[in-house]
Short mmCIF file of all heavy atoms in Angstrom, two decimals:
data_model
loop_
_atom_site.label_atom_id
_atom_site.label_comp_id
_atom_site.label_asym_id
_atom_site.label_seq_id
_atom_site.Cartn_x
_atom_site.Cartn_y
_atom_site.Cartn_z
N ILE A 60 102.32 62.69 140.53
CA ILE A 60 103.13 62.70 139.41
C ILE A 60 104.49 63.34 139.65
O ILE A 60 104.51 64.40 140.43
CB ILE A 60 102.45 63.51 138.28
CG1 ILE A 60 101.15 62.89 137.79
CG2 ILE A 60 103.32 63.83 137.13
CD1 ILE A 60 100.41 63.61 136.72
N THR A 61 105.50 62.80 139.30
CA THR A 61 106.90 63.44 139.36
C THR A 61 107.31 63.89 138.10
O THR A 61 107.33 63.13 137.06
CB THR A 61 107.85 62.37 139.94
OG1 THR A 61 107.41 61.95 141.28
CG2 THR A 61 109.22 63.05 140.11
N TYR A 62 107.72 65.14 137.98
CA TYR A 62 108.20 65.73 136.74
C TYR A 62 109.25 66.75 137.05
O TYR A 62 109.08 67.56 137.94
CB TYR A 62 107.04 66.38 135.94
CG TYR A 62 107.53 67.18 134.77
CD1 TYR A 62 107.97 66.42 133.59
CD2 TYR A 62 107.65 68.47 134.68
CE1 TYR A 62 108.46 67.06 132.49
CE2 TYR A 62 108.23 69.12 133.57
CZ TYR A 62 108.64 68.44 132.52
OH TYR A 62 109.09 69.05 131.38
N ASN A 63 110.40 66.57 136.43
CA ASN A 63 111.46 67.55 136.55
C ASN A 63 111.91 67.63 138.01
O ASN A 63 112.12 68.69 138.63
CB ASN A 63 111.01 68.99 136.08
CG ASN A 63 112.20 69.68 135.53
OD1 ASN A 63 113.18 69.18 135.19
ND2 ASN A 63 112.01 71.04 135.39
N SER A 64 112.04 66.46 138.70
CA SER A 64 112.39 66.32 140.07
C SER A 64 111.46 66.88 141.11
O SER A 64 111.82 67.15 142.30
CB SER A 64 113.84 66.86 140.30
OG SER A 64 114.68 66.23 139.52
N ASN A 65 110.23 67.26 140.69
CA ASN A 65 109.23 67.80 141.54
C ASN A 65 108.05 66.85 141.56
O ASN A 65 107.63 66.35 140.60
CB ASN A 65 108.71 69.20 141.05
CG ASN A 65 109.79 70.23 141.15
OD1 ASN A 65 110.55 70.26 142.05
ND2 ASN A 65 109.91 71.01 140.02
N THR A 66 107.49 66.66 142.81
CA THR A 66 106.43 65.78 142.90
C THR A 66 105.10 66.64 143.08
O THR A 66 104.99 67.52 143.95
CB THR A 66 106.44 64.88 144.19
OG1 THR A 66 107.64 64.02 143.93
CG2 THR A 66 105.27 63.91 144.32
N TYR A 67 104.11 66.33 142.21
CA TYR A 67 102.80 67.03 142.24
C TYR A 67 101.87 66.12 142.92
O TYR A 67 101.59 64.95 142.48
CB TYR A 67 102.41 67.38 140.81
CG TYR A 67 103.24 68.39 140.18
CD1 TYR A 67 104.47 68.09 139.59
CD2 TYR A 67 102.85 69.69 140.23
CE1 TYR A 67 105.26 68.98 139.02
CE2 TYR A 67 103.65 70.71 139.62
CZ TYR A 67 104.84 70.30 138.99
OH TYR A 67 105.65 71.29 138.50
N SER A 68 101.25 66.51 144.07
CA SER A 68 100.41 65.64 144.81
C SER A 68 99.04 65.63 144.29
O SER A 68 98.48 66.73 143.92
CB SER A 68 100.24 66.27 146.30
OG SER A 68 101.53 66.22 146.92
N SER A 69 98.50 64.42 144.09
CA SER A 69 97.16 64.29 143.66
C SER A 69 96.18 64.90 144.72
O SER A 69 96.26 64.56 145.85
CB SER A 69 96.81 62.78 143.44
OG SER A 69 95.51 62.60 143.04
N SER A 70 95.37 65.82 144.33
CA SER A 70 94.72 66.58 145.26
C SER A 70 93.23 66.69 144.89
O SER A 70 92.84 67.03 143.79
CB SER A 70 95.24 68.06 145.31
OG SER A 70 94.56 68.80 146.21
N GLY A 71 92.39 66.39 145.89
CA GLY A 71 90.99 66.60 145.81
C GLY A 71 90.66 68.01 146.08
O GLY A 71 89.53 68.46 145.99
N HIS A 72 91.71 68.84 146.45
CA HIS A 72 91.49 70.36 146.73
C HIS A 72 91.07 71.00 145.36
O HIS A 72 90.42 72.01 145.49
CB HIS A 72 92.70 70.85 147.32
CG HIS A 72 92.98 70.46 148.72
ND1 HIS A 72 92.27 70.83 149.78
CD2 HIS A 72 93.91 69.64 149.23
CE1 HIS A 72 92.76 70.29 150.88
NE2 HIS A 72 93.75 69.48 150.52
N LEU A 73 91.71 70.62 144.28
CA LEU A 73 91.49 71.37 143.02
C LEU A 73 90.15 71.04 142.49
O LEU A 73 89.81 69.88 142.10
CB LEU A 73 92.52 71.02 141.96
CG LEU A 73 92.50 71.67 140.70
CD1 LEU A 73 92.66 73.16 140.82
CD2 LEU A 73 93.65 71.09 139.76
N ILE A 74 89.22 71.94 142.49
CA ILE A 74 87.84 71.83 141.99
C ILE A 74 87.73 72.13 140.58
O ILE A 74 87.19 71.39 139.82
CB ILE A 74 86.89 72.64 142.87
CG1 ILE A 74 86.86 72.06 144.32
CG2 ILE A 74 85.45 72.52 142.28
CD1 ILE A 74 86.01 72.85 145.30
N SER A 75 88.24 73.41 140.17
CA SER A 75 88.10 73.74 138.82
C SER A 75 89.09 74.89 138.46
O SER A 75 89.57 75.55 139.32
CB SER A 75 86.70 74.25 138.49
OG SER A 75 86.46 75.57 139.14
N ILE A 76 89.31 74.92 137.12
CA ILE A 76 90.14 76.04 136.51
C ILE A 76 89.28 76.60 135.41
O ILE A 76 88.83 75.83 134.51
CB ILE A 76 91.40 75.55 135.94
CG1 ILE A 76 92.28 74.92 137.14
CG2 ILE A 76 92.26 76.67 135.33
CD1 ILE A 76 93.59 74.25 136.63
N ASP A 77 89.05 77.87 135.44
CA ASP A 77 88.20 78.43 134.29
C ASP A 77 88.95 78.32 132.98
O ASP A 77 90.22 78.16 132.96
CB ASP A 77 87.98 80.01 134.61
CG ASP A 77 86.97 80.19 135.60
OD1 ASP A 77 86.27 79.26 136.13
OD2 ASP A 77 86.75 81.40 136.10
N ASP A 78 88.15 78.31 131.94
CA ASP A 78 88.74 78.29 130.63
C ASP A 78 89.44 79.63 130.38
O ASP A 78 88.96 80.72 130.88
CB ASP A 78 87.68 78.11 129.57
CG ASP A 78 87.11 76.62 129.58
OD1 ASP A 78 87.88 75.68 130.06
OD2 ASP A 78 85.93 76.47 129.23
N THR A 79 90.52 79.62 129.54
CA THR A 79 91.08 80.92 129.15
C THR A 79 91.28 80.80 127.62
O THR A 79 91.26 79.72 127.03
CB THR A 79 92.44 81.04 129.86
OG1 THR A 79 92.99 82.36 129.50
CG2 THR A 79 93.42 80.00 129.53
N SER A 80 91.45 81.91 127.02
CA SER A 80 91.43 81.89 125.53
C SER A 80 92.52 83.08 125.20
O SER A 80 92.77 83.97 125.86
CB SER A 80 90.12 82.18 124.93
OG SER A 80 89.69 83.46 125.29
N GLU A 81 92.96 82.81 123.98
CA GLU A 81 93.93 83.85 123.41
C GLU A 81 93.15 84.74 122.50
O GLU A 81 92.24 84.26 121.87
CB GLU A 81 95.01 83.08 122.55
CG GLU A 81 96.00 82.31 123.43
CD GLU A 81 97.15 81.78 122.62
OE1 GLU A 81 97.23 82.11 121.38
OE2 GLU A 81 97.86 80.96 123.22
N THR A 82 93.65 85.98 122.47
CA THR A 82 93.01 86.91 121.46
C THR A 82 94.13 87.68 120.75
O THR A 82 95.26 87.66 121.22
CB THR A 82 92.12 87.95 122.20
OG1 THR A 82 93.04 88.65 123.09
CG2 THR A 82 91.00 87.33 122.99
N ALA A 83 93.75 88.23 119.62
CA ALA A 83 94.74 88.92 118.85
C ALA A 83 94.95 90.32 119.43
O ALA A 83 96.01 90.97 119.27
CB ALA A 83 94.33 89.06 117.37
N GLY A 84 93.97 90.82 120.16
CA GLY A 84 93.98 92.21 120.70
C GLY A 84 94.73 92.18 122.09
O GLY A 84 94.96 91.06 122.70
N LEU A 85 95.10 93.40 122.42
CA LEU A 85 95.81 93.48 123.73
C LEU A 85 94.85 93.44 124.86
O LEU A 85 93.84 94.22 124.89
CB LEU A 85 96.57 94.73 123.83
CG LEU A 85 97.70 94.93 122.89
CD1 LEU A 85 98.41 96.26 122.92
CD2 LEU A 85 98.79 93.85 123.22
N ARG A 86 94.95 92.56 125.80
CA ARG A 86 94.09 92.53 126.99
C ARG A 86 94.78 91.74 128.02
O ARG A 86 95.66 90.97 127.84
CB ARG A 86 92.74 91.93 126.60
CG ARG A 86 92.79 90.48 126.23
CD ARG A 86 91.35 89.93 126.08
NE ARG A 86 90.95 89.17 127.27
CZ ARG A 86 90.28 88.07 127.31
NH1 ARG A 86 89.97 87.47 126.17
NH2 ARG A 86 89.98 87.46 128.40
N VAL A 87 94.34 92.02 129.26
CA VAL A 87 94.93 91.28 130.44
C VAL A 87 94.17 90.00 130.57
O VAL A 87 92.98 90.00 130.88
CB VAL A 87 94.78 92.20 131.68
CG1 VAL A 87 95.29 91.45 132.86
CG2 VAL A 87 95.59 93.44 131.53
N ASN A 88 94.78 88.91 130.46
CA ASN A 88 94.22 87.55 130.65
C ASN A 88 94.18 87.26 132.10
O ASN A 88 95.21 87.47 132.79
CB ASN A 88 94.97 86.46 129.85
CG ASN A 88 94.80 86.61 128.37
OD1 ASN A 88 93.80 87.07 127.94
ND2 ASN A 88 95.82 86.24 127.63
N SER A 89 93.03 86.81 132.51
CA SER A 89 92.94 86.38 133.87
C SER A 89 91.79 85.29 133.96
O SER A 89 90.87 85.28 133.11
CB SER A 89 92.64 87.48 134.94
OG SER A 89 91.28 88.06 134.62
N PHE A 90 91.81 84.54 134.95
CA PHE A 90 90.83 83.50 135.16
C PHE A 90 90.83 83.05 136.54
O PHE A 90 91.72 83.51 137.36
CB PHE A 90 90.99 82.33 134.24
CG PHE A 90 92.31 81.53 134.39
CD1 PHE A 90 92.45 80.53 135.18
CD2 PHE A 90 93.42 82.02 133.69
CE1 PHE A 90 93.59 79.83 135.37
CE2 PHE A 90 94.68 81.44 133.87
CZ PHE A 90 94.71 80.27 134.73
N THR A 91 89.80 82.24 137.05
CA THR A 91 89.70 81.80 138.39
C THR A 91 90.04 80.38 138.59
O THR A 91 89.66 79.48 137.75
CB THR A 91 88.21 82.04 138.86
OG1 THR A 91 87.94 83.45 138.66
CG2 THR A 91 88.05 81.71 140.28
N VAL A 92 90.72 80.04 139.66
CA VAL A 92 91.03 78.68 140.05
C VAL A 92 90.30 78.52 141.39
O VAL A 92 90.31 79.35 142.27
CB VAL A 92 92.58 78.48 140.31
CG1 VAL A 92 92.80 77.09 140.87
CG2 VAL A 92 93.36 78.76 139.05
N THR A 93 89.56 77.39 141.42
CA THR A 93 88.74 77.05 142.66
C THR A 93 89.36 75.94 143.43
O THR A 93 89.60 74.85 142.80
CB THR A 93 87.25 76.84 142.32
OG1 THR A 93 86.86 77.91 141.60
CG2 THR A 93 86.39 76.72 143.52
N LEU A 94 89.67 76.06 144.71
CA LEU A 94 90.09 75.04 145.52
C LEU A 94 89.08 74.75 146.63
O LEU A 94 88.30 75.65 147.00
CB LEU A 94 91.43 75.32 146.25
CG LEU A 94 92.57 75.73 145.36
CD1 LEU A 94 93.79 76.21 146.12
CD2 LEU A 94 93.00 74.47 144.48
N SER A 95 89.17 73.57 147.18
CA SER A 95 88.24 73.21 148.30
C SER A 95 88.82 73.79 149.53
O SER A 95 89.97 73.76 149.76
CB SER A 95 88.13 71.65 148.46
OG SER A 95 87.49 71.34 149.60
N GLY A 96 87.89 74.29 150.35
CA GLY A 96 88.27 74.91 151.64
C GLY A 96 87.88 74.00 152.81
O GLY A 96 88.08 74.44 153.94
N VAL A 97 87.47 72.83 152.53
CA VAL A 97 87.03 71.87 153.59
C VAL A 97 88.18 71.61 154.52
O VAL A 97 88.05 71.69 155.73
CB VAL A 97 86.33 70.61 153.05
CG1 VAL A 97 86.00 69.64 154.16
CG2 VAL A 97 85.10 70.97 152.25
N ASP A 98 89.28 71.16 153.92
CA ASP A 98 90.43 71.02 154.67
C ASP A 98 91.13 72.33 154.71
O ASP A 98 91.32 73.05 153.72
CB ASP A 98 91.43 69.99 153.91
CG ASP A 98 92.74 69.81 154.61
OD1 ASP A 98 93.18 70.60 155.49
OD2 ASP A 98 93.48 68.84 154.23
N ARG A 99 91.47 72.83 155.90
CA ARG A 99 91.92 74.22 156.12
C ARG A 99 93.24 74.55 155.59
O ARG A 99 93.73 75.68 155.72
CB ARG A 99 91.92 74.53 157.63
CG ARG A 99 90.59 74.41 158.30
CD ARG A 99 89.52 75.43 158.02
NE ARG A 99 90.08 76.74 158.37
CZ ARG A 99 89.46 77.87 158.17
NH1 ARG A 99 88.33 77.79 157.52
NH2 ARG A 99 90.05 78.98 158.45
N THR A 100 94.01 73.68 154.90
CA THR A 100 95.30 73.85 154.39
C THR A 100 95.43 75.08 153.52
O THR A 100 96.25 75.98 153.83
CB THR A 100 95.83 72.65 153.53
OG1 THR A 100 95.68 71.46 154.38
CG2 THR A 100 97.23 72.72 153.05
N TYR A 101 94.63 75.21 152.58
CA TYR A 101 94.79 76.39 151.64
C TYR A 101 94.12 77.60 152.22
O TYR A 101 94.57 78.74 151.90
CB TYR A 101 94.22 76.01 150.27
CG TYR A 101 95.15 75.02 149.60
CD1 TYR A 101 94.92 73.69 149.57
CD2 TYR A 101 96.36 75.41 149.02
CE1 TYR A 101 95.74 72.78 148.95
CE2 TYR A 101 97.19 74.64 148.47
CZ TYR A 101 96.94 73.25 148.35
OH TYR A 101 97.77 72.30 147.85
N VAL A 102 93.04 77.49 152.98
CA VAL A 102 92.46 78.66 153.69
C VAL A 102 93.59 79.34 154.54
O VAL A 102 93.75 80.51 154.55
CB VAL A 102 91.27 78.23 154.51
CG1 VAL A 102 90.74 79.43 155.31
CG2 VAL A 102 90.11 77.69 153.57
N ASP A 103 94.28 78.49 155.36
CA ASP A 103 95.28 79.01 156.20
C ASP A 103 96.40 79.66 155.37
O ASP A 103 96.92 80.69 155.79
CB ASP A 103 95.83 77.92 157.12
CG ASP A 103 94.82 77.48 158.10
OD1 ASP A 103 93.80 78.24 158.37
OD2 ASP A 103 95.03 76.43 158.71
N LEU A 104 96.81 79.05 154.29
CA LEU A 104 97.84 79.65 153.44
C LEU A 104 97.48 81.02 152.93
O LEU A 104 98.27 82.00 152.95
CB LEU A 104 98.08 78.71 152.18
CG LEU A 104 99.12 77.68 152.32
CD1 LEU A 104 99.20 76.74 151.18
CD2 LEU A 104 100.46 78.26 152.66
N PHE A 105 96.24 81.16 152.51
CA PHE A 105 95.90 82.45 151.96
C PHE A 105 95.66 83.50 153.03
O PHE A 105 95.97 84.62 152.87
CB PHE A 105 94.56 82.43 151.13
CG PHE A 105 94.83 81.94 149.70
CD1 PHE A 105 94.73 80.60 149.35
CD2 PHE A 105 95.12 82.87 148.72
CE1 PHE A 105 95.06 80.20 148.02
CE2 PHE A 105 95.38 82.47 147.39
CZ PHE A 105 95.32 81.13 147.08
N LEU A 106 95.15 83.13 154.24
CA LEU A 106 94.86 84.03 155.23
C LEU A 106 96.22 84.44 155.98
O LEU A 106 96.30 85.55 156.52
CB LEU A 106 93.88 83.46 156.26
CG LEU A 106 92.48 83.36 155.70
CD1 LEU A 106 91.57 82.65 156.79
CD2 LEU A 106 91.92 84.66 155.24
N ALA A 107 97.17 83.58 156.04
CA ALA A 107 98.37 83.75 156.78
C ALA A 107 99.49 84.39 155.98
O ALA A 107 100.48 84.76 156.56
CB ALA A 107 98.82 82.44 157.44
N ASN A 108 99.39 84.45 154.66
CA ASN A 108 100.49 84.89 153.83
C ASN A 108 100.06 86.12 153.04
O ASN A 108 98.93 86.39 152.76
CB ASN A 108 100.97 83.75 152.87
CG ASN A 108 101.66 82.67 153.54
OD1 ASN A 108 102.62 82.90 154.15
ND2 ASN A 108 101.01 81.53 153.66
N ASP A 109 101.11 86.81 152.57
CA ASP A 109 100.93 87.84 151.59
C ASP A 109 100.76 87.17 150.21
O ASP A 109 101.75 86.89 149.56
CB ASP A 109 102.07 88.80 151.62
CG ASP A 109 101.85 90.05 150.73
OD1 ASP A 109 100.69 90.31 150.31
OD2 ASP A 109 102.91 90.70 150.43
N TYR A 110 99.58 86.86 149.81
CA TYR A 110 99.25 86.14 148.61
C TYR A 110 99.36 86.94 147.33
O TYR A 110 99.59 86.40 146.33
CB TYR A 110 97.81 85.54 148.67
CG TYR A 110 96.80 86.61 148.64
CD1 TYR A 110 96.31 87.07 147.41
CD2 TYR A 110 96.36 87.19 149.75
CE1 TYR A 110 95.38 88.00 147.32
CE2 TYR A 110 95.44 88.26 149.74
CZ TYR A 110 94.93 88.64 148.51
OH TYR A 110 94.05 89.64 148.45
N VAL A 111 99.17 88.29 147.36
CA VAL A 111 99.22 89.04 146.16
C VAL A 111 100.61 89.00 145.48
O VAL A 111 101.65 89.06 146.15
CB VAL A 111 98.95 90.53 146.48
CG1 VAL A 111 99.02 91.40 145.20
CG2 VAL A 111 97.49 90.63 147.01
N ASN A 112 100.61 88.79 144.21
CA ASN A 112 101.79 88.63 143.39
C ASN A 112 102.53 87.31 143.61
O ASN A 112 103.65 87.25 143.31
CB ASN A 112 102.73 89.81 143.48
CG ASN A 112 102.21 91.10 142.81
OD1 ASN A 112 101.35 90.94 141.88
ND2 ASN A 112 102.47 92.16 143.34
N THR A 113 101.85 86.33 144.25
CA THR A 113 102.45 85.02 144.36
C THR A 113 102.36 84.44 142.99
O THR A 113 101.34 84.32 142.23
CB THR A 113 101.60 84.19 145.43
OG1 THR A 113 101.74 84.76 146.67
CG2 THR A 113 102.15 82.74 145.43
N LYS A 114 103.51 83.90 142.49
CA LYS A 114 103.59 83.34 141.19
C LYS A 114 102.85 82.00 141.07
O LYS A 114 102.85 81.19 141.99
CB LYS A 114 105.09 83.03 140.83
CG LYS A 114 105.34 82.58 139.50
CD LYS A 114 106.82 82.45 139.29
CE LYS A 114 107.11 81.85 137.97
NZ LYS A 114 108.63 81.62 137.84
N VAL A 115 102.11 81.81 139.97
CA VAL A 115 101.36 80.56 139.66
C VAL A 115 101.70 80.06 138.36
O VAL A 115 101.67 80.80 137.37
CB VAL A 115 99.80 80.82 139.79
CG1 VAL A 115 99.09 79.53 139.44
CG2 VAL A 115 99.45 81.37 141.13
N GLU A 116 102.24 78.84 138.28
CA GLU A 116 102.40 78.22 136.93
C GLU A 116 101.49 77.05 136.76
O GLU A 116 101.34 76.19 137.70
CB GLU A 116 103.87 77.66 136.94
CG GLU A 116 105.00 78.71 137.04
CD GLU A 116 106.34 77.98 137.13
OE1 GLU A 116 106.80 77.42 136.04
OE2 GLU A 116 106.95 78.07 138.13
N ILE A 117 100.87 77.10 135.63
CA ILE A 117 99.95 76.05 135.24
C ILE A 117 100.37 75.35 133.95
O ILE A 117 100.50 76.14 133.01
CB ILE A 117 98.45 76.47 135.25
CG1 ILE A 117 98.06 77.13 136.55
CG2 ILE A 117 97.50 75.34 134.87
CD1 ILE A 117 96.73 77.72 136.58
N ASN A 118 100.59 74.05 134.02
CA ASN A 118 101.01 73.35 132.85
C ASN A 118 100.15 72.14 132.62
O ASN A 118 99.49 71.63 133.59
CB ASN A 118 102.39 72.83 133.00
CG ASN A 118 103.41 74.00 133.03
OD1 ASN A 118 103.45 74.69 132.04
ND2 ASN A 118 104.12 74.19 134.13
#
Side-chain angles (χ1 to χ4, degrees):
I60 294 177
T61 300
Y62 175 73
N63 211 17
S64 301
N65 295 315
T66 300
Y67 293 82
S68 299
S69 177
S70 177
H72 292 287
L73 182 59
I74 295 174
S75 69
I76 298 173
D77 285 353
D78 292 332
T79 185
S80 61
E81 291 184 9
T82 61
L85 294 174
R86 67 176 258 223
V87 175
N88 289 328
S89 67
F90 59 94
T91 302
V92 176
T93 305
L94 300 174
S95 170
V97 174
D98 178 347
R99 300 286 302 176
T100 303
Y101 290 99
V102 172
D103 293 343
L104 270 174
F105 277 93
L106 292 177
N108 289 296
D109 185 15
Y110 67 90
V111 175
N112 291 330
T113 296
K114 185 176 173 184
V115 177
E116 294 177 68
I117 302 175
N118 294 298

